[in-house]
Amino acid sequence: MDISLPLLKGKKGIVVGIANENSIAYGCAKEIHNAGAELLLGYGTEKSEPYIQPLLADLGNPDLILCDVTNDAQLESLFQHAKDKWGKIDFLVHSIAFCPKDDLFGRVTDCSREGFKIAMDISCYSFIRMAHLAEPLMKDGGTLLTMTYYGSEKVVPNYNIMGPVKAALESSVRYLASDLGPKGIRVHALSPGPIKTRAASGIDHFEALLNASAEHTPIQQQVTIEDVGDVAVGMISDSAKSLTGHIAYVDSGYHILG
């Protein structure tokens, strides 16, 4: 590898989940673009488009595709667009999570069947389905990334049903890594510390969680979307070609504390 070149020069891939300038997906897309890669962006709702359009110039003006992950036709269309555009992809970044508010704010004990199904479908199964669609396009191997959170491992106040959902996502990462490893496809989850995104704003008392995490981490600083993007770049790059199945913590060290 020529280290004088941008780390991701020549790589092409999809980032899904961008909603606005505060999205983790945007931080990833920005740093991946800055590292030399070409992008295709997927977004979930038409309401988000006015917030996304002003960001495109700084990302190399990538194609922007509507992709509701509960809609199989839209999912397949996103990957078909990538196939028609490039013939292959080298990476996928999945930064999507959702739970109905009534179930998110309530106890895990009280979660409805429908709320649990929706949260699992959008936050976990969509990554599995994208892995299935990405596999034939990763002809020379590649990297699949998704986003998790420490609440999958420990009980974090007010994270509620998303804890079990993210635990399922992390387990899926390990099984996908095993399934796809023989084809040179690596699978990881990034686990950022609390970041003020649109999705996070739905968590009750999130501001308190945000402030507490910054005060009690070893590095004593809040994580930014660009920090997550930098780690995504490293995981996608050929420098990480021997790594798969990892949960990479981007949390200023919070996860090591007792």
Side-chain angles (χ1 to χ4, degrees), residues 110-161:
D110 302 323
C111 183
S112 70
R113 175 181 281 113
E114 187 61 23
F116 184 72
K117 286 167 61 178
I118 291 170
M120 285 290 289
D121 186 20
I122 295 175
S123 309
C124 181
Y125 177 71
S126 64
F127 183 57
I128 296 172
R129 186 62 185 171
M130 286 187 193
H132 171 79
L133 294 169
E135 181 182 7
L137 298 182
M138 291 187 162
K139 301 174 181 179
D140 303 313
T143 307
L144 307 176
L145 298 178
T146 188
M147 302 297 154
T148 186
Y149 178 60
Y150 183 64
S152 65
E153 302 175 38
K154 303 291 184 181
V155 175
V156 173
N158 304 306
Y159 199 58
N160 302 335
I161 194 60

Side-chain angles (χ1 to χ4, degrees), residues 35-158:
E38 294 181 52
L39 298 172
L40 175 62
L41 299 183
Y43 69 108
T45 68
E46 292 178 348
K47 291 180 180 179
S48 298
E49 187 171 355
Y51 301 98
I52 302 169
Q53 285 288 348
L55 309 175
L56 298 183
D58 288 337
L59 303 176
N61 291 305
D63 293 347
L64 182 64
I65 307 296
L66 181 64
C67 183
D68 175 352
V69 297
T70 66
N71 185 316
D72 287 339
Q74 289 187 16
L75 262 176
E76 291 165 8
S77 179
L78 174 67
F79 286 84
Q80 184 63 47
H81 191 99
K83 182 178 181 181
D84 294 343
K85 184 179 181 68
W86 297 312
K88 56 166 280 187
I89 61 173
D90 301 294
F91 61 87
L92 166 73
V93 178
H94 169 279
S95 183
I96 302 168
F98 177 78
C99 180
K101 283 188 176 181
D102 287 347
D103 296 289
L104 179 62
F105 289 162
R107 302 185 306 168
V108 171
T109 311
D110 302 323
C111 183
S112 70
R113 175 181 281 113
E114 187 61 23
F116 184 72
K117 286 167 61 178
I118 291 170
M120 285 290 289
D121 186 20
I122 295 175
S123 309
C124 181
Y125 177 71
S126 64
F127 183 57
I128 296 172
R129 186 62 185 171
M130 286 187 193
H132 171 79
L133 294 169
E135 181 182 7
L137 298 182
M138 291 187 162
K139 301 174 181 179
D140 303 313
T143 307
L144 307 176
L145 298 178
T146 188
M147 302 297 154
T148 186
Y149 178 60
Y150 183 64
S152 65
E153 302 175 38
K154 303 291 184 181
V155 175
V156 173
N158 304 306

Side-chain angles (χ1 to χ4, degrees), residues 159-236:
Y159 199 58
N160 302 335
I161 194 60
M162 287 307 296
V165 171
K166 290 294 189 180
L169 179 65
E170 291 182 13
S171 182
S172 299
V173 164
R174 291 186 284 271
Y175 278 89
L176 291 171
S178 178
D179 285 349
L180 300 174
K183 294 192 174 182
I185 299 172
R186 299 176 286 116
V187 189
H188 302 289
L190 307 187
S191 184
I195 298 175
K196 195 170 185 178
T197 63
R198 188 177 72 173
S201 66
I203 299 171
D204 207 14
H205 302 295
F206 180 75
E207 288 287 345
L209 179 63
L210 190 69
N211 294 332
S213 68
E215 292 172 5
H216 297 106
T217 59
I219 302 177
Q220 296 186 343
Q221 64 185 26
Q222 290 183 354
V223 175
T224 68
I225 58 173
E226 290 80 11
D227 293 334
V228 183
D230 286 339
V231 176
V233 168
M235 287 296 199
I236 292 167

